[in-house]
Amino acid sequence: MKNVRIIVAGVIFGIIMVKSEAVSWFRIQEMFRFQGFHMYGIICTAVVVGAILLQLVKRAHLKNLDGAVISIPQKPKLYRSALIGGIIFGIGWAFTGACPGPLFVNLGAGYRVMIVPILAAVIGAFVHGLVKRRLPQ
């Protein structure tokens, strides 16, 4: 039953991504060229909704699917590593026209070429795991 909920949530996420045009290569390129507000509006909406939901989880002591209270650990402030990681992520996003979520949504929509950036992302995550100790923390 737990996996069914996760699959349903993934399908809903995919439908929202397609209907909002967040998976559109055109919309992403438009954003990187500062020619349209569409993607910025989606991203700003996601940040605001995420912040509100995070506060709701913290204050209402909500439980996860297993029935345990969700605890959100305090993270250390990692400006340098976040900056480097953000630049690498942005370069990959600009090259492929999609970040990780839309890659899988586009693959599900039948764009088999998305297998290439997904494999590149998996390889990148593997390399990150190998060199993680040498990166700024």
Side-chain angles (χ1 to χ4, degrees):
M1 187 65 183
K2 178 179 163 186
N3 291 338
V4 172
R5 290 181 193 167
I6 293 169
I7 290 171
V8 169
V11 169
I12 292 170
F13 177 72
I15 291 170
I16 291 170
M17 296 288 281
V18 170
K19 291 296 183 184
S20 68
E21 298 183 15
V23 295
S24 165
W25 182 87
F26 170 77
R27 290 291 183 191
I28 293 170
Q29 291 302 313
E30 182 183 64
M31 174 187 71
F32 280 117
R33 293 179 181 166
F34 301 105
Q35 294 173 334
F37 182 76
H38 188 91
M39 287 297 294
Y40 295 113
I42 291 172
I43 292 169
C44 288
T45 302
V47 168
V48 169
V49 170
I52 291 169
L53 291 177
L54 187 63
Q55 289 302 314
L56 179 68
V57 167
K58 281 182 177 179
R59 293 171 193 224
H61 304 290
L62 297 180
K63 297 179 181 178
N64 63 17
L65 293 176
D66 297 326
V69 174
I70 299 171
S71 66
I72 301 167
Q74 199 72 339
K75 290 188 172 187
K77 295 178 181 175
L78 304 170
Y79 298 114
R80 199 168 108 187
S81 60
L83 182 64
I84 293 170
I87 289 170
I88 293 171
F89 179 84
I91 290 170
W93 194 7
F95 279 149
T96 63
C99 62
L103 287 178
F104 288 100
V105 172
N106 279 320
L107 182 63
Y111 298 105
R112 285 181 275 166
V113 71
M114 289 297 159
I115 291 173
V116 175
I118 289 172
L119 287 176
V122 169
I123 292 169
F126 178 74
V127 170
H128 176 263
L130 292 177
V131 299
K132 184 178 178 181
R133 285 182 283 155
R134 297 182 188 156
L135 297 174
Q137 298 295 320

